[in-house]
Structures are given as structure tokens and as C-alpha cells.
Amino acid sequence: MLVSITPGPWVMSSGMVETAAGVPIARMDREYGNGTQPVERDNNCRLIAAAPELLKSLTELCNLAPRATRDTVKAGIYAEAWAAIRKATRG
């Protein structure tokens, strides 16, 4: 990974995403009337908390398959995966 992020794991705790040591990463807006339901906010919080592991796993999977052996059916999947990695890492 070429980008520097706060090391994981990150955890969800009362509408916050934090490191296991309690360092804040993100706070989810829990106010009513903003168009997001509490269940959506909690799901978004879980997704953010999983980000370090998701990025690491996706990068490792993409690096497993040699470019020369990727067939055309899977090429789109790899392109989407690499696009997501670039989005996360600004690469």
C-alpha cells in the first residue's frame, strides 16, 4: 500500500470509528432529520471500520493473479478492484 493511513484494526463504538486503542478515526452524524436512518449510519460506521482490512485484502487478491493469466471475463473485475484501490490510496 502506497498511502499512509492510521493502522487498523478500526472498531465501531457508539457511532464512532476508532482504533483498538481508542484513537478517533471518524464520527457518524447521529442527528435526526438529515435523511439517514440510524441503521444506515451504523452500517456506514461498520463499513468505515472495516476499511483497513478491506483495502489490504483487496490489494493482496489483485496482486495474486499475474496480469498475463487474467481472462477477459475477469478483466473487468480486476479493473474495478484496482480502481477502488486507487480511489482509496489516491494512486
Side-chain angles (χ1 to χ4, degrees):
M1 201 173 351
L2 299 174
V3 68
S4 176
I5 63 169
T6 303
W10 297 352
V11 295
M12 178 182 142
S13 174
S14 302
M16 296 281 296
V17 177
E18 308 173 331
T19 66
V23 176
I25 300 295
R27 181 183 67 84
M28 301 306 293
D29 183 4
R30 300 191 61 87
E31 293 180 18
Y32 291 98
N34 66 1
T36 304
Q37 298 300 314
V39 69
E40 290 176 290
R41 288 190 299 266
D42 289 346
N43 290 338
N44 291 340
C45 199
R46 281 186 197 87
L47 180 59
I48 293 167
E53 291 91 348
L54 289 170
L55 179 59
K56 181 178 183 281
S57 296
L58 184 60
T59 301
E60 289 175 1
L61 281 171
C62 285
N63 286 326
L64 281 177
R67 294 190 187 279
T69 62
R70 295 180 188 159
D71 62 38
T72 56
V73 174
K74 295 178 186 169
I77 295 169
Y78 284 105
E80 290 176 15
W82 281 117
I85 292 167
R86 282 191 301 276
K87 181 178 180 180
T89 63
R90 295 184 183 199

